[in-house]
């Protein structure tokens, strides 16, 4: 038996019945693997491969540190991490990856979008989410700019 991580609601069992299984890495596949089923042909399972520059999957604590999880909250940091790891994923895919309900994922996505950490694009009946540069930098722990200057003036406090 081969178990594959499928989006919520698409759980199913596929019986090979002696047809064999062809497993194909796909540069163009994002998110979860997909099974291509034709009863007359061998079963094909296409799975996403890591793209150049794409980080390996890691928990939000390892990727952005405990400080990010403390700032955003563990679930929201995990949602951001999922979006950075799989750009273009839907809210349903996020819910499945983060192991939360779709409504919870939607709430977190709304807050992340308001904070300009992600951008969302509607595509027919799906909303796909992408990290902004700010969101990716924050998750990676990269500084986005130097320390804030207050109009170039320096104030000192006298004791």
């Amino acid at each position: 038996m081969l178990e594959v991580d499928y989006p919520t609601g698409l759980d199913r069992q596929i019986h090979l019945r002696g047809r064999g299984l062809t497993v194909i890495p796909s540069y163009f596949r994002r998110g979860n693997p997909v099974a291509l089923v034709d009863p007359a042909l061998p079963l094909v399972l296409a799975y996403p491969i890591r793209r150049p520059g794409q980080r390996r999957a890691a928990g939000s604590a390892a990727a952005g540190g405990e400080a990010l999880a403390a700032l955003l909250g563990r679930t929201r940091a995990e949602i951001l991490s999922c979006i950075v790891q799989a750009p273009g994923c839907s809210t349903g895919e996020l819910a499945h990856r983060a192991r939360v309900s779709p409504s919870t994922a939607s709430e977190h996505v709304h807050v992340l979008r308001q904070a300009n950490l992600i951008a969302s694009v509607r595509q027919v009946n799906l909303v796909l989410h992408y990290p902004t540069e700010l969101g990716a930098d924050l998750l990676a722990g990269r500084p986005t700019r130097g320390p804030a200057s207050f109009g170039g003036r320096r104030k000192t406090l006298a004791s």
Side-chain angles (χ1 to χ4, degrees), residues 125-147:
N125 62 341
L126 289 176
V127 178
L128 306 178
H129 309 290
Y130 298 89
T132 61
E133 188 175 347
L134 176 62
D137 287 347
L138 181 66
L139 188 66
R142 291 187 297 262
T144 55
R145 60 182 137 163

Side-chain angles (χ1 to χ4, degrees), residues 1-157:
M1 179 180 358
L2 173 66
E3 291 185 14
V4 178
D5 195 19
Y6 248 61
T8 305
L10 295 179
D11 293 338
R12 62 177 149 180
Q13 290 185 357
I14 301 170
H15 301 278
L16 297 176
R17 295 186 179 88
R19 292 180 294 162
L21 174 66
T22 303
V23 180
I24 301 174
S26 174
Y27 180 82
F28 301 102
R29 179 77 195 127
R30 292 188 195 181
N32 300 344
V34 63
L36 308 173
V37 181
D38 182 340
L41 300 171
L43 179 66
V44 175
L45 181 69
Y47 67 93
I49 61 170
R50 215 168 46 131
R51 295 173 181 88
Q54 183 180 9
R55 292 182 300 119
R56 290 186 188 275
S60 59
E66 288 295 320
L68 180 62
L71 175 68
L72 297 178
R74 292 209 180 279
T75 305
R76 194 164 293 144
E78 181 63 27
I79 295 283
L80 178 59
S81 178
C82 289
I83 293 171
V84 169
Q85 291 170 20
C89 57
S90 68
T91 306
E93 286 176 303
L94 282 176
H96 182 71
R97 287 173 175 271
R99 300 187 193 295
V100 296
S101 70
S103 61
T104 298
S106 181
E107 288 177 34
H108 289 302
V109 161
H110 176 74
V111 172
L112 292 170
R113 190 173 37 250
Q114 293 297 323
N116 196 30
L117 298 178
I118 66 166
S120 301
V121 177
R122 178 166 292 283
Q123 198 172 51
V124 188
N125 62 341
L126 289 176
V127 178
L128 306 178
H129 309 290
Y130 298 89
T132 61
E133 188 175 347
L134 176 62
D137 287 347
L138 181 66
L139 188 66
R142 291 187 297 262
T144 55
R145 60 182 137 163
S149 63
F150 299 99
R153 296 184 207 151
R154 212 173 195 190
K155 292 191 177 190
T156 57
L157 298 174

